[in-house]
Amino acid sequence: MKTLDTSFRYPIKTGSYHRPGIERQGAWISFTAAVPAEKDCALLLYKKGSPEAEIEIPMEYSTRYGDLRSVEIEKLPIEKYEYNYRIAGTIVTDSYARRISGRKTWGQAPAGEAALRGCIISDEFDWEGDEPLQIPYTDVIAYATHVRGFTKHPTSGVRAKGTFAGVREKIPYLKALGINQLELMPVYEFAEVEAWDEKRPAIRRGRSDEPLMNYWGYTDSYYFAPKASYAASNDPVRELKTLVKELHKNGIELVLEFYFPKAMQTARVLDCIRYWVLEYHIDGVHVNRDHTPVEALAQEPLLSHTKIMSEGFGLEEIYDGRTVPGFRNLAEYNDGFMMDIRRFLKGDEGMIPAFIWRERKNPERHAVMNYLAGHNGFTLMDAVSYDEKHNEANGEDNRDGTDYNYSWNCGEEGPSRKKKTLELRSRQLRNALVMLYLGQGVPVLYGGDEHGNSQLGNNNVYCQDNELSWIKWKPGKAWEYLEEYVRRLISFRKDHPVFHQDAELRQTDYLSCGHPDVSYHGKRAWLGDFENYSRSVGILYAGEYVSANSEGKEHDDSFYVAYNMHWIPHEFALPKLPGKQVWTIALDTGIEGTDGIHAEGSEELLTDQRTVTVSERTILVLRGQTRRKEKKEQKEQKKQAGAEAE
């Protein structure tokens, strides 16, 4: 044992080898590390603020259990100490550390061999009975963003910009929008800039001469520790837990994204996810399938009610035969919906089959996350404003980022002042949002798309920590209506469960042979136009549907959604409604601003009940309703019957 200060008087003994990291057992604190047998190891304890270790405690090979070595210290004042390990002569920061010191200031690289240290955190936090919300996927309205980029812009209006506390300040906004699930890009302790090394070249800079950094956080990291520079306070652990608790109080789940490198062991991945679920009460995780043992996560009993999202799953490996899980916690999260819907949106031929499949996809054993934009690619605004990527600011001669954006600039590349171009882009944005929120899968809004956020055609802002990647909260006058438009669409979806049923719509009618839950129509009722040249289709959602959350059948009105992504108008034949119901206009994307969404009870009666002509690049949503006069008579009859019963 080496010591620089004889004042260290805390008892030390061999540890219990429970698992890597720090464990508390009464008055004792156990430090455990995984170290190959042939390497020496010692625990280094530093007093906070001191550049040198106060004591170096050997962790002998003879006391190992497998590759685990452990020591325990009694009554150590945790608020005064930080720690590292010395392994084979090199100072190493604990990969299981629950808090890291040395990266409090964003963009400031730690300098020195022992600049990064593990912190011993207190387990005390009043959760006030908090638990994960377990909202069924059918009811989820998701919003995905980056902690720093969400509130860092001067227009965000929050005090603690770019932090967990800043996100907490925006909870009323998310709730008012209708969001009940928030997904955050990596919040654990990653290196946005590398530790200083005189042998490394100078920090890479982009075209504007700003330093470029790992803004997103997709790198090997300290996965058990929340990012210190994302905290407005000096306690990122408490600040993040407070955010989770406040989100839950407002009916909003928290899903965290994790990027694991290919070489990361399955045991460490499982330890990490279990820790965040137990310690931070998170509701779900989004992981990369290529490097993550998703089947192992899906079969972990502790995570059976935790949402697990990835590009796909080996369902036969996870479930026996046709077993349907009691709680559907898995979700497919890939670009399929985005690519197919964007192609249909811009009018590509041959997209009708792919479009209707994406709109109705909602399997029994896993959910589907639907999005039209994300951090990796164009924002929704850029998808209607650019034909090509413009990543010159990244300093890689525009070679980075995908070339397959399936976007359309509506006639002019980039920002425009032309009225017709702006009107067309606005209509395309409304069309895209309607497709997103009327799909049977889980809609995911990329943060800022509700403001018409643009990255100036950059589809790979992984290295941009500036106004290019931050959300601008005060859009130009042309896009001020979008936030309210999104809010109304979310409300419309929530009010009408036919657009988010509990399981895949099994009764589908392609050939005019009944009255199924969903059917397809075109120039003739009950017969969709699926030809390669077709760019329009009518979808009828029957009013009665089965819900797994209630007994028997529930009812909703019937809806007919006419999609015309052609550049010419198209006529649709309308199916006859049962009884004395009539078609009314609930939504029309051909009308500018929010006026195209009619409030409940103010829907406009459709003049012709047999056919309707839909303008070019327009979506028309018709609602089957009983005539208002007859509705009034029905209410009076019901009221009279109730009075007689009394």
Side-chain angles (χ1 to χ4, degrees), residues 104 228 231-236 238-239:
K104 171 58 182 172
S233 66
N234 290 320
D235 192 343
R238 179 171 294 275
E239 190 168 318

Side-chain angles (χ1 to χ4, degrees), residues 16-197:
S16 60
Y17 312 108
H18 182 61
R19 61 182 179 183
I22 292 179
E23 295 287 337
R24 291 174 177 274
Q25 299 179 14
W28 294 84
I29 296 179
S30 174
F31 296 82
T32 305
V35 184
E38 69 276 8
K39 295 185 178 181
D40 295 330
C41 179
L43 171 67
L44 304 176
L45 288 179
Y46 309 80
K47 278 192 173 179
K48 289 184 178 179
S50 174
E52 301 290 337
E54 177 183 345
I55 186 171
E56 183 171 330
I57 305 170
M59 302 172 73
E60 301 294 344
Y61 172 70
S62 60
T63 63
R64 82 197 188 289
Y65 188 84
D67 278 344
L68 291 179
R69 305 187 202 182
S70 182
V71 295
E72 292 184 18
I73 305 175
E74 186 180 25
K75 296 181 180 178
L76 183 70
I78 62 174
E79 70 282 356
K80 295 181 180 180
Y81 283 91
E82 299 169 340
Y83 74 101
N84 274 329
Y85 296 107
R86 189 189 301 277
I87 300 176
T90 301
I91 295 179
V92 177
T93 304
D94 183 9
S95 62
Y96 275 74
R98 300 178 184 183
R99 181 177 166 187
I100 298 291
S101 69
R103 283 209 178 106
K104 171 58 182 172
T105 303
W106 172 270
Q108 181 175 306
E113 188 180 29
L116 292 184
R117 304 173 185 175
C119 299
I120 311 164
I121 66 172
S122 170
D123 294 328
E124 296 178 359
F125 183 78
D126 185 5
W127 280 104
E128 302 180 71
D130 175 83
E131 293 180 348
L133 299 181
Q134 297 182 18
I135 300 173
Y137 275 121
T138 50
D139 297 331
V140 168
I141 306 291
Y143 189 99
T145 192
H146 183 282
V147 170
R148 184 170 170 85
F150 186 50
T151 61
K152 187 62 179 174
H153 197 273
T155 59
S156 67
V158 305
R159 296 183 300 277
K161 292 179 173 59
T163 66
F164 299 130
V167 176
R168 190 171 76 246
E169 289 183 63
K170 284 293 186 180
I171 288 177
Y173 167 80
L174 294 171
K175 189 173 182 180
L177 197 61
I179 301 301
N180 59 17
Q181 183 185 98
L182 175 65
E183 179 185 331
L184 296 177
M185 292 170 68
V187 303
Y188 42 79
E189 193 60 77
F190 63 86
E192 69 276 8
V193 289
E194 295 296 331
W196 181 84
D197 185 337

Side-chain angles (χ1 to χ4, degrees), residues 546-611:
V546 179
S547 171
N549 297 324
S550 61
E551 297 180 0
K553 292 187 176 182
E554 294 183 2
H555 292 266
D556 192 5
D557 290 331
S558 293
F559 286 87
Y560 183 94
V561 187
Y563 295 92
N564 180 22
M565 294 301 105
H566 209 170
W567 43 88
I568 59 174
H570 276 273
E571 183 179 88
F572 292 78
L574 300 176
K576 182 176 174 56
L577 287 164
K580 296 183 179 180
Q581 291 186 349
V582 294
W583 289 116
T584 60
I585 300 174
L587 187 152
D588 185 350
T589 64
I591 298 176
E592 289 293 318
T594 58
D595 292 340
I597 304 179
H598 298 285
E600 185 83 16
S602 65
E603 295 89 350
E604 180 183 338
L605 179 66
L606 191 65
T607 305
D608 187 345
Q609 292 288 309
R610 294 184 178 182
T611 62

Side-chain angles (χ1 to χ4, degrees), residues 223-511:
Y223 291 99
F224 295 78
K227 189 159 182 56
S229 62
Y230 281 178
S233 66
N234 290 320
D235 192 343
V237 173
R238 179 171 294 275
E239 190 168 318
L240 180 53
K241 288 181 178 180
T242 301
L243 170 61
V244 177
K245 185 169 67 172
E246 291 304 311
L247 285 167
H248 286 175
K249 284 182 179 179
N250 286 274
I252 302 174
E253 294 183 327
L254 180 63
V255 171
L256 297 182
E257 187 174 5
F258 289 82
Y259 171 85
F260 297 115
K262 194 171 186 177
M264 189 157 167
Q265 297 176 335
T266 296
R268 188 176 167 209
V269 172
L270 289 170
D271 283 347
C272 173
I273 301 303
R274 284 191 292 246
Y275 175 76
W276 282 89
V277 169
L278 292 173
E279 191 68 22
Y280 287 88
H281 294 199
I282 64 171
D283 300 270
V285 295
H286 178 189
V287 297
N288 53 315
R289 175 174 175 77
D290 288 346
H291 301 170
T292 306
V294 293
E295 283 73 28
L297 287 177
Q299 295 176 81
E300 166 59 51
L302 180 69
L303 305 178
S304 64
H305 283 67
T306 298
K307 291 182 171 69
I308 301 172
M309 306 173 186
S310 192
E311 293 90 336
F313 299 88
L315 295 176
E316 295 308 314
E317 179 181 338
I318 298 168
Y319 301 119
D320 295 330
R322 290 188 56 80
T323 301
V324 177
F327 180 80
R328 192 172 57 151
N329 70 320
L330 306 183
E332 176 186 314
Y333 206 127
N334 56 53
D335 289 347
F337 180 89
M338 178 176 71
M339 295 306 186
D340 286 344
I341 300 304
R342 281 191 184 181
R343 292 187 64 191
F344 177 65
L345 175 70
K346 70 190 186 76
D348 284 359
E349 66 177 13
M351 293 307 300
I352 294 295
F355 167 71
I356 62 177
W357 185 69
R358 293 293 181 185
E359 282 289 291
R360 70 183 287 266
K361 187 178 181 183
N362 185 20
E364 288 182 312
R365 296 193 288 185
H366 71 277
V368 177
M369 310 301 287
N370 291 344
Y371 54 93
L372 285 172
H375 64 269
N376 190 18
F378 279 160
T379 66
L380 192 56
M381 174 61 78
D382 286 354
V384 299
S385 304
Y386 293 89
D387 280 353
E388 300 175 353
K389 66 181 182 182
H390 296 269
N391 297 358
E392 291 82 4
N394 296 351
E396 298 182 42
D397 296 324
N398 205 32
R399 293 190 300 267
D400 62 304
T402 180
D403 293 320
Y404 300 96
N405 298 288
Y406 300 109
S407 57
W408 177 46
N409 65 17
C410 296
E412 183 179 1
E413 190 76 353
S416 175
R417 294 184 178 181
K418 294 179 180 178
K419 184 178 179 181
K420 287 188 176 180
T421 300
L422 292 176
E423 287 177 350
L424 181 53
R425 288 178 180 175
S426 181
R427 182 178 297 199
Q428 288 291 78
L429 287 174
R430 295 194 297 273
N431 287 335
L433 290 166
V434 169
M435 292 181 200
L436 176 65
Y437 286 107
L438 297 193
Q440 293 290 321
V442 179
V444 184
L445 184 70
Y446 181 53
D449 281 347
E450 75 275 26
H451 302 303
N453 217 46
S454 173
Q455 294 171 176
L456 302 181
N458 192 318
N459 71 358
N460 191 32
V461 295
Y462 75 101
C463 57
Q464 300 288 339
D465 174 43
N466 47 52
E467 294 195 8
L468 196 64
S469 59
W470 301 341
I471 292 177
K472 278 72 76 178
W473 288 84
K474 292 184 179 180
K477 187 175 181 181
W479 315 115
E480 288 177 343
Y481 79 93
L482 275 177
E483 180 187 321
E484 175 65 12
Y485 197 85
V486 169
R487 188 193 68 77
R488 290 194 188 186
L489 276 179
I490 291 174
S491 179
F492 183 82
R493 177 184 175 88
K494 288 181 176 180
D495 288 343
H496 300 293
V498 293
F499 295 114
H500 53 104
Q501 303 207 34
D502 286 293
E504 188 170 9
L505 300 174
R506 300 298 180 189
Q507 301 180 49
T508 305
D509 185 40
Y510 288 93
L511 300 172

